[in-house]
Amino acid sequence: MMLFWIRLKSIVDLGLTEVFKVAVYRLLIKLRIHPVCRIKGYSSSGVFFGASILPKLGLSSISSWDSSGSLFSYIDVPLDESPPNWQANPITGIKSEFHLTPWWEISDFEEKTGDVKLVWEMSRMDWVVAFAQRARNGDHKSLDRLNTWLAHWLDNNPPYLGVNWKCGQEASIRVIHLCCAALILGQERSSLLGLQELIRLHLRRIAPTIHYAIAQNNNHGTSEAAALFIGGSWLTALGALDGEKYEKMGRKWLEDRASKLVEKDGSFSQYSLNYHRMALDTFSIVEVWLRSLNFQTLSPNFYNSAAQATLWLHQMVSPVSGDGPNLGANDGSLILQLTDSSYRDYRPSVQLASALFLGRRAYSKTGLWDLHLAWLGITNYESDPTRYLNCDYDFGGYKILRSADANIIFRYPRFRYRPSQADSMHIDLWVNGINVLSDAGSYSYNSIPDMSGYFNGTASHNTVQFDDRDQMPKLGRFLFGSWLKSKHVPPISVSDAGVSCSASYRDYRGAEHLRQVNLNDTSLNVYDYVKGFKRKAVIRWRLPDSKWILENTLNGVHVSNGVYVLTVKSDVAFIRAEIVEGWKSLFYMQKVPVSVLEVEIGASGSITTEVNW
């Protein structure tokens, strides 16, 4: 009975309108009467991109997609001059059996080929940008390769058949990459007929399912709206009569998504650092495209949302490494790969968005993060970087505390949209750009064996877990129920003792957790008070990858690796205190073992953790 009420409450939390839209969409697809089931298309032919008439830029192009491709920014796939097999899992080589099946008849999860994202990744067309960069630098062989691969892709992915047409967002990412290539080659206003028809094929796939994407309240809506606007305005600029309807549809939903999904403090609806970057990159390429075509600007509300989202990401990212907290879901997306900077380096995206939406550089020093500006021709900005501050992002449920070279990101529940991870009260600690206490990430959406329960669950975060269960009940692969609500969240406090904050919650089974945090120049102090659980409470600290020594003391436990020291004490007896093996995933489909300190108590009480460096 409890589960029934939890599910009912989740429908309300998700939004009755959104749930209704999704249900109707799925029903119409199942009955084969949705308009998308009736669209037809024919592969375009001929040449897609001509030789660039613009002068060579002399800028460094990305090195991948030459002798090897790069999947999720770390898996190297050997390549030769011939195009890859677009229907195959590039790791196992197993080919999808449904390459001539209408996409809406294909299951979301094919056991034989494995995670469908592995098949999709080659068809996101990151290689289009790489080939375009080299062609702009005068490499005619790369231009030939670009046209050959596009023709081959269409021959092997007939319109609306097979897994590569299944997702509207995947189609949208292809449009964004084709647009980026046209900008690099200077062909946005003189596109060949083959490219125009390729864009049109994609818009006809995206438009009929845009309401389903919007109902997700996530990056699908932003990506698909952007593709409709870019593609529609592109066709309009080229004199095509059907472009205006796509342009208007895209503009409408771009405005709507920016206003609804970006909170007043810049937080994004998905509570994920990487999905935040993806949404921001999407806004950025839209603005670059709009300026290139001299189209009507978007609304002040759009630009305010984009500016706030830029400031949020800038504050989250380390200026030393470019990396940031491994918060929330991460599917490996990086839609504007214009440099050889690491996938975990968010500075290129921040620098581009800052120049576009704030009118100034985010980083005064020069580096790879400047190449986005150079490749896309962005020059009108000031050298006035944003300062790093203590940040209260209460709409999204984040606090950033800073002291000297250390900072923490404190995560607490403020869920207006569905949470993807049970990570409430998690703490990320960074010292001199090094992630000392980290989040596990999300690894894979469809792994064998399925590890989503671990990576999405409470056990993979620096927080307290009650009675071996998650903070919220799991209702589906991507859905938690009984969303937590924070209590007692005062503003950040600054004193001679350091900078501090706190929050608390009570979960659906009555367990309560209060966490108070204080950061100063050389230490982090965390006070946890827990009660209301039945059997046990376990606090976890996910440690950097190095050798740790654990010592039990009279009133607690002492853990050190020669650089960092953790001391954990409690006013109730420890049942156990030990270092166990956990997992960490910085890249999609990659996981590595890490050391995790676990301290377990069996009665209500307080636990105090001190970290020194």
Side-chain angles (χ1 to χ4, degrees):
M1 183 58 72
M2 176 185 283
L3 186 59
F4 169 79
W5 289 112
I6 289 174
R7 290 186 180 278
L8 187 62
K9 177 64 164 54
S10 297
I11 291 174
V12 176
D13 289 338
L14 289 168
L16 295 177
T17 300
E18 285 78 5
V19 172
F20 177 75
K21 287 180 179 178
V22 170
V24 169
Y25 166 81
R26 290 177 175 171
L27 177 62
L28 295 180
I29 288 288
K30 188 173 183 178
L31 296 175
R32 304 186 179 193
I33 58 175
H34 192 284
V36 79
C37 301
R38 299 192 296 272
I39 61 171
K40 303 291 182 183
Y42 302 94
S43 296
S44 55
S45 58
V47 178
F48 302 90
F49 287 97
S52 175
I53 60 173
L54 298 176
K56 297 179 183 179
L57 285 178
L59 299 172
S60 298
S61 60
I62 58 176
S63 58
S64 58
W65 302 105
D66 187 7
S67 59
S68 66
S70 179
L71 305 184
F72 311 120
S73 301
Y74 82 96
I75 301 175
D76 288 332
V77 179
L79 297 173
D80 52 30
E81 288 301 314
S82 57
N85 189 325
W86 308 109
Q87 305 294 330
N89 180 320
I91 296 178
T92 65
I94 297 175
K95 184 178 178 180
S96 171
E97 299 175 349
F98 303 99
H99 62 286
L100 294 179
T101 303
W103 68 262
W104 41 270
E105 294 182 2
I106 303 172
S107 169
D108 288 339
F109 301 99
E110 283 188 67
E111 285 190 20
K112 186 173 181 181
T113 53
D115 191 337
V116 70
K117 280 185 58 57
L118 286 165
V119 180
W120 285 348
E121 194 70 9
M122 300 294 283
S123 291
R124 284 193 162 191
M125 296 188 178
D126 305 64
W127 43 269
V128 165
V129 178
F131 295 166
Q133 285 181 320
R134 293 168 198 156
R136 175 67 187 273
N137 282 336
D139 183 356
H140 299 295
K141 185 178 179 181
S142 289
L143 181 64
D144 292 340
R145 199 179 189 190
L146 172 57
N147 284 309
T148 299
W149 281 36
L150 284 172
H152 188 269
W153 189 90
L154 269 173
D155 287 343
N156 288 272
N157 293 276
Y160 322 128
L161 303 179
V163 294
N164 288 318
W165 287 104
K166 184 166 180 57
C167 179
Q169 176 167 243
E170 297 301 311
S172 300
I173 291 171
R174 290 195 286 272
V175 171
I176 289 171
H177 284 143
L178 290 166
C179 143
C180 195
L183 288 169
I184 289 170
L185 294 171
Q187 296 178 20
E188 64 272 26
R189 290 184 174 275
S190 57
S191 303
L192 299 178
L193 290 177
L195 181 57
Q196 294 181 44
E197 187 55 32
L198 181 57
I199 295 299
R200 183 174 286 106
L201 286 172
H202 281 76
L203 299 183
R204 294 181 68 196
R205 162 63 187 89
I206 299 164
T209 58
I210 185 65
H211 289 283
Y212 174 73
I214 297 302
Q216 307 300 312
N217 283 330
N218 61 17
N219 59 299
H220 284 248
T222 55
S223 302
E224 295 181 37
L228 288 170
F229 175 76
I230 289 171
S233 58
W234 196 347
L235 294 179
T236 298
L238 294 169
L241 297 179
D242 58 344
E244 186 176 0
K245 65 178 180 180
Y246 297 120
E247 177 196 341
K248 287 183 176 179
M249 188 185 303
R251 182 183 289 269
K252 169 190 171 182
W253 288 117
L254 265 174
E255 299 277 10
D256 177 86
R257 294 297 83 186
S259 174
K260 183 174 182 178
L261 302 188
V262 179
E263 303 282 8
K264 293 180 181 178
D265 60 12
S267 304
F268 185 58
S269 65
Q270 286 183 275
Y271 314 113
S272 158
L273 193 78
N274 205 61
Y275 282 143
H276 190 108
R277 171 171 65 181
M278 184 175 184
L280 188 58
D281 279 346
T282 302
F283 294 159
S284 293
I285 194 62
V286 164
E287 177 63 12
V288 172
W289 182 259
L290 184 150
R291 292 184 185 186
S292 176
L293 292 182
N294 293 319
F295 264 64
Q296 178 185 349
T297 58
L298 294 159
S299 71
N301 286 338
F302 174 87
Y303 291 109
N304 181 65
S305 293
Q308 293 304 316
T310 302
L311 291 169
W312 186 98
L313 190 58
H314 181 259
Q315 294 289 343
M316 285 282 179
V317 170
S318 166
V320 178
S321 64
D323 203 353
N326 204 17
L327 293 172
N330 179 356
D331 70 351
S333 294
L334 180 57
I335 61 170
L336 291 182
Q337 182 69 58
L338 298 174
T339 78
D340 276 335
S341 57
S342 166
Y343 167 81
R344 299 290 316 182
D345 188 345
Y346 289 74
R347 288 172 294 185
S349 295
V350 174
Q351 188 82 310
L352 175 62
S354 185
L356 290 171
F357 302 122
L358 302 176
R360 61 178 183 263
R361 295 172 62 90
Y363 310 103
S364 56
K365 293 182 179 179
T366 58
L368 286 176
W369 46 88
D370 292 315
L371 284 177
H372 276 55
L373 303 177
W375 275 112
L376 296 174
I378 308 302
T379 57
N380 188 21
Y381 51 82
E382 299 177 2
S383 295
D384 183 23
T386 304
R387 293 175 56 211
Y388 290 94
L389 305 167
N390 295 318
C391 299
D392 250 320
Y393 293 132
D394 195 53
F395 286 94
Y398 312 92
K399 292 183 186 291
I400 302 177
L401 278 56
R402 304 185 190 278
S403 185
D405 295 321
N407 69 280
I408 68 164
I409 294 90
F410 179 45
R411 179 82 178 101
Y412 59 96
R414 283 280 195 253
F415 299 131
R416 203 155 68 92
Y417 299 97
R418 60 179 175 179
S420 64
Q421 296 197 347
D423 60 355
S424 292
M425 305 299 170
H426 169 82
I427 290 175
D428 243 57
L429 170 63
W430 292 72
V431 180
N432 293 314
I434 297 173
N435 196 185
V436 180
L437 300 175
S438 65
D439 191 306
S442 57
Y443 179 48
S444 172
Y445 298 157
N446 188 26
S447 62
I448 300 175
D450 183 10
M451 295 193 68
S452 62
Y454 172 80
F455 281 96
N456 296 343
T458 305
S460 66
H461 298 92
N462 296 319
T463 188
V464 175
Q465 182 179 27
F466 298 115
D467 298 324
D468 292 324
R469 58 180 170 78
D470 286 329
Q471 296 164 336
M472 300 171 287
K474 195 79 175 288
L475 302 181
R477 186 182 291 266
F478 302 112
L479 180 62
F480 284 101
S482 294
W483 299 355
L484 296 177
K485 294 182 179 180
S486 291
K487 301 187 298 181
H488 312 303
V489 187
I492 293 172
S493 174
V494 180
S495 68
D496 292 341
V499 55
S500 59
C501 67
S502 63
S504 65
Y505 71 81
R506 184 178 189 270
D507 74 11
Y508 72 110
R509 291 189 179 272
E512 296 186 44
H513 181 193
L514 164 67
R515 171 161 278 185
Q516 298 174 336
V517 181
N518 185 80
L519 177 71
N520 59 46
D521 292 358
T522 59
S523 68
L524 166 67
N525 291 272
V526 182
Y527 171 85
D528 292 294
Y529 180 73
V530 294
K531 67 177 182 178
F533 53 94
K534 292 182 178 179
R535 296 179 292 106
K536 63 180 180 178
V538 178
I539 186 170
R540 292 183 176 86
W541 296 112
R542 302 174 52 79
L543 307 172
D545 302 328
S546 56
K547 188 174 182 179
W548 291 83
I549 298 175
L550 183 150
E551 296 178 285
N552 290 301
T553 63
L554 290 176
N555 60 350
V557 62
H558 185 81
V559 180
S560 174
N561 71 343
V563 179
Y564 307 103
V565 179
L566 280 78
T567 303
V568 184
K569 301 177 182 178
S570 178
D571 60 2
V572 296
F574 288 170
I575 294 175
R576 66 181 177 91
E578 60 181 332
I579 294 177
V580 302
E581 185 177 85
W583 295 100
K584 181 176 181 178
S585 176
L586 291 175
F587 300 88
Y588 193 76
M589 292 296 295
Q590 180 204 66
K591 66 182 190 299
V592 296
V594 294
S595 298
V596 181
L597 173 63
E598 292 188 351
V599 175
E600 180 181 331
I601 60 175
S604 299
S606 63
I607 303 172
T608 303
T609 304
E610 182 175 343
V611 186
N612 291 278
W613 53 88

